[in-house]
Amino acid sequence: MIKKFLLLTIISLNLFAQNSNKLNKTIFGYLPWWEYTQGSANYIQYNLITHLAVFSFEADSLGNLKDPLNWPWNDVLTNAEKNNVKLILSITNFSPEQIHKLFTNNNSKTNLFKNIESRFKNYNFAGINIDFENLNDEDKNINLINFLSDLKKYLNQIKPNLELSFAAPAIKIGNWNFETMVQICDYLFIMCYDYYGSWNDFTAPSSPLTGTFFNITKSFEVDYSNIVKAQPEKLILGVPYYGNYWKTKEKNPYTKVDTSKANKEWMGYLTYKQIVKYYFNYEKLWDTISQTPWIRWFDTKWNQIWYDDEKSLGLKYDFAIQKKLKGIGIWALGYDGDRSELWNLIEKKFSNPLMVENDHLSFSFTLHQNYPNPFNAETIIRYSLKQNLNVKLELINLLGEKIVLFDEFKYQGEYSFILNADKFGLSSGVYFLKISTGQKTQTIKMILLR
């Protein structure tokens, strides 16, 4: 009787552990073989992910597949099954010539599909993620579309409901047809990182949310705008658990660097766990342009590390929620090591359906009446936010002419700033100050008397 009671208790606890965090969005994480071999899989909180992509099964031009080191990863297979995490077969190739042959040579494509089928038969994969990068422009449209279409049909023959996804670039350069791709695939994993890196002649974040020439907001509102309007639930916002490291002559953000081979100041990528362990004792700063943190210190040169932490990732997650995307993705599982703060952030943002539902279906802000009003030259503007929001503040005259004071993400809290009429060349008259977040607005009337 005691043994039976203990057995039932253990079963109940296991079920509770599996179901205690009901994730309301897809949390997709890549686990690279080099992190697995270092033991990083031991720190994965399986109850806080929905998909784990085994990275990677490398395809060659003939359609052969090379398994990741030490495959099969039996502990990962077991833990994924226990926690109802979908295992994803990650297929990679970064050679444009080899990818072209896989797309256009029927023998290579047939061999690849057969090799994919054998992995599905031997292991409990729930889907496949294609990570083909550096494509020739001629392969970004028709050839890719045909390949994905043929693969989807093949998967349907292997087993119903197998997921097909594609690791897509954040910026539409060339002949990409994202709209057709998303109709074939179950979803696209948008790699919202490497916007800036070793190829740039200035320091910058890998994953800027706002500002700079390229950023996440622009990717979704320009490059993927049609899909965001029609099927946002088929897009995953991928985020980096790593940062960019440069040595520079100047200490300022976005400073120029020497990209010549003889004096290259690019030092490489650093994982989040490396940054926290070795560099957190240096000066930490926040870049309001990109909404990302960075670190600097001086030895023989200035050092700059641009990375993401729970603050910047939290803003990206809010963005994904507000855009009603399918979810978020992580490159890469293990890059945070045994630290818990990034897991805690996922739990906070995505494990409470009511909280998150309220986050993206409603909002709360208040624009207070300016003081003094009427005013001469200067007046104080105050507004408050009850959650993190993208806030746009505009000044409008009676002719309908607008001045955008700012348009950026803001944290929950109270804000105030001084509006100087001389700075904006304002003349006497009536003005309307409008605050907007998404579809909602609030307006107050102000009077400037000279």
Side-chain angles (χ1 to χ4, degrees):
M1 184 71 179
I2 294 176
K3 287 182 179 180
K4 183 178 180 181
F5 173 77
L6 289 174
L7 180 61
L8 289 172
T9 301
I10 292 171
I11 292 173
S12 298
L13 288 172
N14 285 337
L15 288 173
F16 178 79
Q18 292 176 24
N19 300 311
S20 59
N21 288 319
K22 297 288 188 180
L23 295 170
N24 51 71
K25 292 282 186 182
T26 294
I27 311 298
F28 185 113
Y30 288 99
L31 178 59
W33 63 262
W34 54 88
E35 285 298 325
Y36 177 80
T37 58
Q38 294 176 16
S40 295
N42 295 327
Y43 305 118
I44 295 174
Q45 295 191 30
Y46 286 87
N47 61 322
L48 293 176
I49 58 174
T50 59
H51 294 64
L52 187 150
V54 178
F55 192 91
S56 71
F57 294 79
E58 299 175 11
D60 64 19
S61 62
L62 300 177
N64 300 313
L65 282 182
K66 179 183 176 182
D67 293 346
L69 196 64
N70 293 349
W71 183 258
W73 303 342
N74 292 320
D75 53 336
V76 172
L77 294 169
T78 299
N79 286 321
E81 184 176 3
K82 278 184 180 179
N83 290 273
N84 298 317
V85 172
K86 292 182 177 181
L87 273 181
I88 302 299
L89 182 72
S90 176
I91 306 292
T92 60
N93 191 298
F94 302 148
S95 165
E97 293 78 17
Q98 292 187 18
I99 293 171
H100 179 75
K101 186 172 181 179
L102 286 171
F103 285 175
T104 58
N105 184 289
N106 287 330
N107 291 332
S108 295
K109 183 162 60 173
T110 299
N111 188 42
L112 175 62
F113 289 2
K114 287 182 178 178
N115 282 309
I116 289 172
E117 181 179 6
S118 71
R119 269 56 174 195
F120 276 105
K121 288 183 176 179
N122 292 329
Y123 307 103
N124 191 28
F125 286 107
I128 184 170
N129 176 260
I130 300 297
D131 186 5
F132 287 174
E133 301 181 31
N134 307 314
L135 275 67
N136 292 321
D137 204 43
E138 64 176 312
D139 290 323
K140 292 177 180 177
N141 195 335
I142 300 300
N143 288 340
L144 173 59
I145 296 302
N146 290 339
F147 174 84
L148 291 174
S149 181
D150 291 343
L151 178 56
K152 184 62 175 177
K153 292 175 183 176
Y154 196 90
L155 291 177
N156 288 337
Q157 295 173 5
I158 297 173
K159 185 181 177 182
N161 302 318
L162 290 177
E163 295 181 358
L164 172 61
S165 60
F166 187 85
I171 303 168
K172 188 175 184 179
I173 298 176
N175 204 26
W176 292 100
N177 187 344
F178 296 144
E179 289 79 7
T180 303
M181 289 168 60
V182 85
Q183 299 307 316
I184 299 168
C185 296
D186 294 281
Y187 50 92
L188 301 181
F189 181 109
I190 313 302
M191 297 181 287
C192 294
Y193 36 81
D194 285 345
Y195 285 90
Y196 299 94
S198 61
W199 51 92
N200 290 106
D201 61 355
F202 58 92
T203 62
S206 174
S207 183
L209 179 62
T210 56
T212 69
F213 189 75
F214 298 112
N215 59 63
I216 291 173
T217 303
K218 185 177 179 181
S219 291
F220 282 90
E221 294 183 354
V222 177
D223 303 83
Y224 287 88
S225 60
N226 292 333
I227 302 172
V228 171
K229 292 174 185 176
Q231 294 179 294
E233 71 282 357
K234 298 191 75 172
L235 299 178
I236 288 178
L237 193 163
V239 300
Y241 276 19
Y242 67 89
N244 296 333
Y245 180 19
W246 282 276
K247 281 185 176 289
T248 69
K249 294 179 181 179
E250 304 293 335
K251 68 177 182 178
N252 297 324
Y254 304 103
T255 191
K256 285 282 185 177
V257 295
D258 190 340
T259 57
S260 67
K261 290 184 179 180
N263 298 295
K264 197 168 179 63
E265 295 174 324
W266 168 258
M267 302 306 295
Y269 297 107
L270 292 172
T271 62
Y272 180 77
K273 59 187 174 185
Q274 290 173 319
I275 295 169
V276 172
K277 184 175 181 179
Y278 299 111
Y279 304 101
F280 254 33
N281 57 318
Y282 297 116
E283 182 184 13
K284 293 189 285 293
L285 303 104
W286 179 259
D287 179 51
T288 57
I289 294 174
S290 63
Q291 302 294 320
T292 56
W294 62 293
I295 296 170
R296 71 180 174 193
W297 74 95
F298 185 82
D299 40 39
T300 57
K301 283 188 173 184
W302 281 99
N303 297 260
Q304 294 191 17
I305 297 174
W306 294 73
Y307 67 109
D308 274 277
D309 62 4
E310 63 267 37
K311 181 178 177 180
S312 62
L313 291 173
L315 290 175
K316 292 175 174 66
Y317 296 168
D318 287 340
F319 182 86
I321 292 169
Q322 290 158 8
K323 293 293 184 182
K324 300 183 181 179
L325 305 182
K326 181 178 180 65
I328 62 97
I330 301 165
W331 178 261
L333 295 173
Y335 280 6
D336 55 344
D338 61 353
R339 299 190 64 85
S340 61
E341 59 266 28
L342 303 188
W343 289 113
N344 294 339
L345 177 66
I346 290 174
E347 182 176 13
K348 176 184 176 182
K349 294 292 183 182
F350 301 112
S351 69
N352 185 327
L354 292 176
M355 179 182 69
V356 177
E357 188 77 5
N358 288 336
D359 263 358
H360 78 270
L361 289 181
S362 65
F363 60 88
S364 181
F365 67 84
T366 302
L367 176 62
H368 303 284
Q369 186 64 52
N370 64 304
Y371 178 82
N373 188 44
F375 68 100
N376 179 5
E378 288 187 344
T379 187
I380 299 174
I381 308 296
R382 293 191 306 113
Y383 64 97
S384 59
L385 306 176
K386 290 189 177 180
Q387 64 187 77
N388 302 338
L389 290 170
N390 189 86
V391 178
K392 184 177 183 180
L393 199 64
E394 299 172 285
L395 192 64
I396 308 169
N397 65 19
L398 291 176
L399 297 176
E401 298 169 332
K402 297 179 181 179
I403 298 174
V404 178
L405 301 178
F406 60 79
D407 184 358
E408 59 190 29
F409 271 88
K410 296 286 187 179
Y411 283 107
Q412 170 186 340
E414 300 282 338
Y415 292 87
S416 66
F417 70 94
I418 297 175
L419 175 65
N420 187 296
D422 294 331
K423 179 180 178 182
F424 294 100
L426 304 180
S427 57
S428 297
V430 176
Y431 292 87
F432 297 95
L433 188 70
K434 184 171 94 171
I435 188 172
S436 56
T437 70
Q439 304 281 332
K440 305 294 183 179
T441 65
Q442 183 183 345
T443 305
I444 61 170
K445 183 169 74 172
M446 307 190 305
I447 301 175
L448 173 59
L449 296 177
R450 294 290 194 176

